[in-house]
Amino acid sequence: MKKINVGILGMGYIGESHIEAVRRIGYCNLYAVADTNFELAKKKADFYGIEKCCSSIEELLNDPKVDVIHNCTPNFLHTEINKKIIESGKHLFSEKPLSKNYEEAKELLEVHKKHPEVVAAVNFNYRMNPLVQDMRGRIERGAIGDVRIISGNYLQDWLLYDTDYSWRLEPEVSGISCCIADIGSHLMDLVQHVTGHKITEVMADLATMIPVRKKPVSQTQTFTSAVPAEYEEKKVENEDYGAVLFKTDKGARGVYHASELCAGHGCYFGVEINGSKASLRWNQEENDRLWVGHRDEDNRLVVRNPNNISPEGRSCTALAMGHPEGWNDAFKGNIYSFYDYIVKGDFNAKPVFATLEEAANIVRLTEAIVKSSEKRRWIEIK
Ligand SMILES: NC(=O)c1ccc[n+]([C@@H]2O[C@H](COP(=O)([O-])OP(=O)(O)OC[C@H]3O[C@@H](n4cnc5c(N)ncnc54)[C@H](O)[C@@H]3O)[C@@H](O)[C@H]2O)c1
């Protein structure tokens, strides 16, 4: 079987995780990497022994050997670059969020409609944690009854001090939102994916708790805590805290909050789902555990075990019980689901990865959340 030649664009923080994941998939040949910072791309290409190294998307687009392009650039480039990739007929694996705003997302959906031969996915990677898939299976089979209440949070601390800075705080680069678009988006995607509910109304309170930050004069790596030697004072426009109440199309009520100002948290991303018969709780920092809550029998702590897990969970787990799987494994699982879909070739089948439509819906929800906070009222998503 001919291997699928992959090119990855954007060699920053997340680009490296894409390299690691693609290299673990047997169908794939990681053929090229690219970054406008050519030195950085060259460093990665040399380190990982990657054949081709480029400094622009055009070089990947013009190379007939490239079958798939991963877009790992900052948010403001997603629409423009994703559009070029889809129009070139190469398959697209894009980082989230799909675009800076819903207008752009709709534009991409239109372009994709004209290219049904292109498989396009957006990286909502937490979907493919084995116990997240297990939760989806349990809920679908009615094991917890009707979903009534959903709660969760996504907490990090990499913006805790005013010396912490990221392009995610700048609307021109990030879009209209920082923490909702960046991390709240993962939570909303996961909740909709596992419950099968659609969020249809939101009421939000967003805040910029550190309104002025020290922006480094030179570029810094995302998520580093180094204090810049030279900086300028910069007024921050995007939020660093968000609390969201929501309602779903099937009558459930939900609440979550997201922030990068929570000391001690690297990736504290958890959800609890309360149904009419039982509850489920999962947190990605204890990825191998799922709490199942009952009223009339003992609660259980399920430990991931490929021998016992549901078929949905089985599809994305490999290691035996007691050998912890983690963030990188689920990340690879999500990318694998995309390549497996391409190899199987039935493009009418419903994929397990997030489609462009689903990712556009998350952008739409993000916009509604920002609007709700500004207007201080519920916003319906029709
Ligand atoms: N799925 C996840 O869990 C996850 C985690 C982190 C980041 N992300 C997403 O990944 C994207 C990148 O985030 P990051 O943290 O890696 O950012 P980053 O700033 O660390 O890296 C971005 C890279 O893109 C390069 N770049 C900029 N413009 C380019 C262009 N025109 N062509 C080629 N390369 C270009 C930069 O030089 C940089 O190396 C964002 O959209 C972010 O939301 C997703």
Side-chain angles (χ1 to χ4, degrees):
M1 181 186 146
K2 177 190 168 289
K3 287 205 174 191
I4 302 171
N5 283 317
V6 181
I8 303 179
L9 181 77
M11 286 290 101
Y13 174 78
I14 207 66
E16 185 124 15
S17 299
H18 285 250
I19 293 181
E20 299 264 0
V22 167
R23 281 166 57 101
R24 288 172 66 187
I25 299 171
Y27 308 136
C28 298
N29 170 38
L30 178 50
Y31 166 65
V33 288
D35 198 296
T36 39
N37 179 345
F38 184 74
E39 245 176 78
L40 178 66
K42 182 83 178 66
K43 204 166 127 193
K44 304 284 177 189
D46 289 347
F47 182 77
Y48 287 99
I50 297 163
E51 189 178 333
K52 183 163 175 165
C53 180
C54 322
S55 59
S56 73
I57 177 64
E58 278 69 29
E59 286 169 81
L60 295 179
L61 293 172
N62 294 334
D63 185 336
K65 267 179 94 174
V66 175
D67 302 307
V68 176
I69 301 178
H70 290 227
N71 183 2
C72 304
T73 60
N75 303 358
F76 78 107
L77 292 165
H78 290 181
T79 305
E80 179 194 330
I81 290 176
N82 289 345
K83 197 171 156 199
K84 286 182 182 169
I85 297 170
I86 296 170
E87 283 173 340
S88 76
K90 298 182 193 295
H91 301 303
L92 164 70
F93 192 87
S94 173
E95 263 307 338
K96 40 57 61 174
L98 175 61
S99 51
K100 271 186 356 182
N101 56 51
Y102 187 52
E103 265 316 295
E104 289 184 6
K106 282 194 291 191
E107 196 186 318
L108 278 175
L109 295 184
E110 285 307 311
V111 174
H112 192 216
K113 261 194 214 152
K114 294 183 193 140
H115 292 273
E117 77 284 6
V118 170
V119 179
V122 178
N123 194 23
F124 285 107
N125 42 300
Y126 296 96
R127 282 187 178 203
M128 294 310 279
N129 281 275
L131 290 173
V132 169
Q133 285 306 312
D134 186 73
M135 275 200 281
R136 183 172 70 85
R138 284 173 195 258
I139 293 170
E140 212 168 79
R141 283 187 289 279
I144 69 163
D146 296 330
V147 170
R148 289 174 173 159
I149 302 168
I150 302 163
S151 53
N153 38 49
Y154 197 146
L155 312 180
Q156 302 187 315
D157 70 0
W158 60 278
L159 286 177
L160 183 63
Y161 304 125
D162 70 352
T163 46
D164 298 321
Y165 200 80
S166 167
W167 54 256
R168 287 165 174 80
L169 294 159
E170 298 175 0
E172 323 78 80
V173 187
S174 180
I176 50 169
S177 153
C178 174
C179 77
I180 298 298
D182 199 42
I183 53 180
S185 59
H186 279 297
L187 192 143
M188 294 189 286
D189 177 73
L190 188 139
V191 158
Q192 296 192 118
H193 179 64
V194 299
T195 61
H197 288 219
K198 292 273 164 283
I199 298 173
T200 49
E201 267 183 273
V202 292
M203 166 78 180
D205 173 35
L206 307 186
T208 306
M209 294 204 169
I210 302 185
V212 177
R213 285 181 181 265
K214 297 179 169 60
K215 178 178 179 177
V217 170
S218 57
Q219 194 192 356
T220 50
Q221 168 83 38
T222 308
F223 307 135
T224 53
S225 55
V227 177
E230 277 189 274
Y231 60 81
E232 55 181 358
E233 301 258 317
K234 174 103 174 141
K235 186 175 178 299
V236 177
E237 287 169 59
N238 275 351
E239 85 286 358
D240 49 26
Y241 167 83
V244 182
L245 286 172
F246 61 87
K247 298 179 191 174
T248 75
D249 58 342
K250 295 179 189 158
R253 295 292 195 272
V255 60
Y256 80 86
H257 73 285
S259 178
E260 302 94 346
L261 303 180
C262 304
H265 290 299
C267 192
Y268 191 80
F269 171 23
V271 292
E272 177 160 330
I273 298 167
N274 311 114
S276 53
K277 291 200 280 194
S279 300
L280 299 172
R281 185 171 67 226
W282 174 86
N283 190 303
Q284 95 79 32
E285 287 189 354
E286 292 177 29
N287 167 55
D288 269 3
R289 305 274 187 275
L290 176 71
W291 178 83
V292 185
H294 297 281
R295 193 170 84 167
D296 304 321
E297 54 185 282
D298 288 343
N299 294 339
R300 286 180 207 147
L301 187 63
V302 174
V303 179
R304 182 195 56 81
N305 179 348
N307 295 330
N308 302 338
I309 203 167
S310 60
E312 294 83 1
R314 184 71 192 89
S315 69
C316 54
T317 188
L319 294 177
M321 186 179 64
H323 300 67
E325 286 182 351
W327 193 93
N328 261 338
D329 299 292
F331 197 89
K332 175 241 161 188
N334 193 42
I335 292 182
Y336 171 76
S337 73
F338 168 74
Y339 284 100
D340 189 51
Y341 189 82
I342 294 174
V343 168
K344 289 198 171 121
D346 175 8
F347 296 173
N348 292 317
K350 185 175 161 33
V352 69
F353 57 77
T355 60
L356 289 200
E357 285 75 13
E358 288 171 313
N361 165 262
I362 299 294
V363 175
R364 193 177 188 192
L365 287 174
T366 305
E367 264 190 16
I369 286 165
V370 171
K371 187 168 165 196
S372 161
S373 182
E374 280 167 9
K375 306 258 180 218
R376 301 167 68 92
R377 64 172 173 83
W378 283 93
I379 300 284
E380 209 176 325
I381 296 99
K382 297 209 176 79

